[in-house]
């Protein structure tokens, strides 16, 4: 039975890499953000707006526990998921955790066009966005780095360049 959790900062490519990984390892893919949106019939942005971040984190924690019972699955988590409650320890106990890592500069580049769907980024752009990511990533790294495997996304030439990760996961998970 395989259960793989993809963790990492917003914009790192958890969903894209998750899709490709699921195909290659013949596993299904669950996106925790989509799972939350489908359950609450609201976008993540709306949940933040109407209930605040604290309540969003409680919902996220509760639904993480639900998806973590699924089998033969890749679970793509939200950027903040491992950093609240005991979520990272919980995921480590439930399956294989993979941290997709990237530099603040590449993340800022990728996120520039998507800040509006990410309430945590609050519409920041340019240098302000980069400074926020640099700081926020430092806060989150101690959680991310508790993952069992780290995969450097910046070293990828294309988004299909995940063979080393596929091989590692074939033996470990
Ligand atoms: C968040 C990341 C988002 C989503 C929410 C909060 C975060 O997921 O869960 O907006 O705190 O980093 P993605 O990493 O898929 O953008």
């Amino acid at each position: 039975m395989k259960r793989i959790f993809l963790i990492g900062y917003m914009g790192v490519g958890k969903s894209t890499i998750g899709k490709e990984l699921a195909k290659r390892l013949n596993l299904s893919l669950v996106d925790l953000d989509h799972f939350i949106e489908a359950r609450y019939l609201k976008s993540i942005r709306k949940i933040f707006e109407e209930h605040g971040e604290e309540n969003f984190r409680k919902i996220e924690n509760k639904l993480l526990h639900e998806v973590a019972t699924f089998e033969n699955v890749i679970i793509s988590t939200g950027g903040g998921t491992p950093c609240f409650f005991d979520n990272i320890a919980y995921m480590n106990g439930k399956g294989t955790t993979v941290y997709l890592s990237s530099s603040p500069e590449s993340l800022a580049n990728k996120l520039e066009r998507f800040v509006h769907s990410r309430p945590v980024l609050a519409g920041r752009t340019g240098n302000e966005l980069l400074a926020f990511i640099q700081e926020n990533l430092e806060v989150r790294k101690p959680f991310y780095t508790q993952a069992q495997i780290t995969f450097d996304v910046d070293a990828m030439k294309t988004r299909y360049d995940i063979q080393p990760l596929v091989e590692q996961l074939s033996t470990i998970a």
Side-chain angles (χ1 to χ4, degrees):
M1 196 278 291
K2 287 189 182 178
R3 185 181 296 123
I4 296 163
F5 295 93
L6 294 184
I7 69 170
Y9 207 76
M10 291 169 270
V12 76
K14 297 182 294 286
S15 305
T16 317
I17 294 174
K19 248 180 236 163
E20 190 57 26
L21 207 52
K23 229 192 284 170
R24 303 229 200 149
L25 295 174
N26 198 22
L27 300 170
S28 32
L29 176 70
V30 174
D31 183 304
L32 182 57
D33 280 343
H34 294 164
F35 194 76
I36 295 170
E37 293 181 329
R39 174 68 55 87
Y40 287 83
L41 299 174
K42 269 179 204 168
S43 66
I44 300 290
R45 202 164 65 102
K46 262 255 162 323
I47 299 177
F48 264 73
E49 254 170 45
E50 292 178 7
H51 306 280
E53 176 166 1
E54 209 181 315
N55 284 309
F56 169 75
R57 296 303 172 192
K58 286 184 191 156
I59 292 171
E60 183 181 47
N61 172 258
K62 185 170 145 231
L63 296 202
L64 172 66
H65 283 238
E66 267 189 50
V67 298
T69 61
F70 298 167
E71 300 196 338
N72 296 317
V73 72
I74 295 189
I75 298 164
S76 168
T77 63
T81 312
C83 316
F84 292 85
F85 304 104
D86 64 344
N87 291 350
I88 184 63
Y90 176 74
M91 290 188 275
N92 275 330
K94 283 294 204 177
T96 306
T97 46
V98 178
Y99 168 37
L100 301 179
S101 80
S102 180
S103 70
E105 289 75 15
S106 338
L107 291 169
N109 266 338
K110 283 198 233 155
L111 283 166
E112 189 79 35
R113 284 173 297 133
F114 302 106
V115 287
H116 299 292
S117 57
R118 262 93 174 197
V120 171
L121 300 176
R124 292 177 179 88
T125 55
N127 284 341
E128 208 194 327
L129 176 65
L130 177 59
F132 176 82
I133 294 173
Q134 280 166 334
E135 211 174 290
N136 194 214
L137 196 56
E138 284 312 306
V139 174
R140 290 182 169 190
K141 256 191 201 158
F143 298 94
Y144 293 153
T145 53
Q146 290 177 52
Q148 293 147 12
I149 295 173
T150 296
F151 184 71
D152 177 13
V153 169
D154 294 345
M156 288 168 70
K157 289 189 187 71
T158 74
R159 66 196 176 110
Y160 303 109
D161 193 13
I162 55 165
Q163 195 51 30
L165 180 58
V166 171
E167 274 159 30
Q168 218 177 333
L169 285 169
S170 309
T171 55
I172 291 174

